[in-house]
Amino acid sequence: MTVRRIRDRLPVLAACLLLAGVVAASWGGWSWYAAAHDGSADLARARDRALAAGEQAVQNLNTLDHAALTPGLDLWEQSTTGDLHSQLVQGREEFEKQVKQAQSVTTARVLDGAVTELDEGSGQAAVMVAVRITVRTGQEQPVTKDSRMLGRLTRTGEGWKLSALGQAPMGTTASAAQATPSASPAGH
């Protein structure tokens, strides 16, 4: 090929490269725009908010110190809504007596969690939270156990709150699948 032929083809080659660059940039821009506006990002943010609130509420309801009972039980009430909230409020006085008598300190640490259901429109969600609970009663040695909790969340004007909480069934047997939720959140 002669120098002249190469020089004659350079504008065509440059135009082809420019066109390829414009096409690639356009495709990349459109892909970015479509991803940013397809709703999945909003759904992911809603899921993350529900999960964070659910994990925190489960931790709150599994943490209680007999020496700081009033703020602990106030936190339980602030973390709940609906029937669960009503049960906690109604049983508070008797529960306070039991915890004071036992001199118990219960702490929880979230190990992992997941949103298992999310209906953003109706403001309902469900979470499964793995939590490590340590209970110390009086002068006895602390007892630690890992637990899986199932929680129902309801979105309120103050954000997501627990409306139900119970133990997740363990194992795969029929009797485990029929396990009933625990009535006392903090394992007391």
Side-chain angles (χ1 to χ4, degrees):
M1 222 184 226
T2 68
V3 173
R4 183 177 183 109
R5 280 182 145 177
I6 293 174
R7 233 185 277 150
D8 289 343
R9 291 187 181 181
L10 276 178
V12 174
L13 180 61
C16 289
L17 288 174
L18 178 63
L19 180 62
V22 168
V23 168
S26 297
W27 181 81
W30 176 252
S31 296
W32 174 83
Y33 179 83
H37 294 87
D38 74 352
S40 63
D42 291 337
L43 183 60
R45 282 189 291 277
R47 183 192 66 238
D48 291 346
R49 284 190 298 270
L51 179 59
E55 287 178 341
Q56 185 62 58
V58 168
Q59 181 173 318
N60 292 349
L61 266 67
N62 284 282
T63 300
L64 190 62
D65 185 340
H66 73 92
L69 204 48
T70 299
L73 292 176
D74 289 347
L75 186 57
W76 282 21
E77 291 176 13
Q78 293 165 11
S79 301
T80 59
T81 190
D83 290 342
L84 179 57
H85 179 80
S86 297
Q87 291 170 4
L88 293 174
V89 170
Q90 291 170 1
R92 182 173 175 148
E93 189 175 315
E94 182 62 32
F95 190 69
E96 283 180 10
K97 289 177 192 175
Q98 293 172 1
V99 173
K100 284 179 184 177
Q101 183 178 4
Q103 295 184 336
S104 63
V105 177
T106 305
T107 57
R109 182 172 59 95
V110 171
L111 303 174
D112 201 5
V115 173
T116 59
E117 296 175 38
L118 177 62
D119 185 342
E120 183 70 21
S122 70
Q124 298 292 310
V127 293
M128 178 181 277
V129 179
V131 64
R132 179 160 291 148
I133 303 168
T134 303
V135 180
R136 186 171 34 96
T137 306
Q139 300 300 318
E140 295 179 19
Q141 290 292 330
V143 176
T144 300
K145 71 174 185 170
D146 291 346
S147 182
R148 290 184 307 177
M149 309 292 289
L150 294 175
R152 298 287 313 163
L153 297 168
T154 301
R155 190 178 50 234
T156 70
E158 299 169 337
W160 291 101
K161 294 189 177 202
L162 276 175
S163 51
L165 182 64
Q167 290 286 124
M170 300 294 256
T172 57
T173 64
S175 61
Q178 297 172 359
T180 57
S182 116
S184 178
H188 296 280

